[in-house]
Amino acid sequence: HGLLFDFHQSSIKPESMGALNEIVKMMKDHNDLNFEIDGHTASDGNDDANMKLSQARADAVKSKLVDMGIDDARLATKGFGDTKPIDKNDNAEGKANNRRVEFIRK
């Protein structure tokens, strides 16, 4: 948690910079760390749009990390749409929790 996105957007919110800075520091300190960045959405919208949005979110995070000095070969991306919720999609808080990216060590 810590990487935030607005409703139906793939642009990273400015308040996400603290978490991104921590990830960059960790990756620079440990050159053997590689991650798959998995993008997720809430259940609003249709399945095709959610898949595209989740991929765009993962790609946006990768692009930001590359801009911050991480070799792009160390990062992969994958979009899952709304297929892997971590919270209920019946209230604003749950939907916000489902709009996320996760880092999976490769």
Side-chain angles (χ1 to χ4, degrees), residues 1-2 5 8 14 20 30 35 39 42 57 76 83 88-89 106:
H1 295 281
F5 301 90
H8 285 299
L20 288 170
H30 303 279
F35 289 108
R57 286 178 174 163
T83 63
K88 294 181 180 179
N89 277 298
K106 299 192 310 174

Side-chain angles (χ1 to χ4, degrees), residues 53-70:
L53 179 57
S54 65
Q55 184 66 50
R57 286 178 174 163
D59 291 342
V61 171
K62 177 180 178 178
S63 178
K64 187 65 168 173
L65 293 174
V66 169
D67 289 348
M68 295 171 76
I70 301 300

Side-chain angles (χ1 to χ4, degrees), residues 13-30:
K13 293 178 100 173
E15 49 273 43
S16 300
M17 285 310 299
L20 288 170
N21 286 329
E22 287 180 35
I23 293 164
V24 167
K25 181 182 182 331
M26 181 177 48
M27 291 189 78
K28 286 183 175 181
D29 289 347
H30 303 279

Side-chain angles (χ1 to χ4, degrees), residues 35-49:
F35 289 108
E36 177 181 283
I37 304 166
D38 293 348
H40 302 274
T41 66
S43 62
D44 298 327
N46 68 51
D47 291 345
D48 186 50

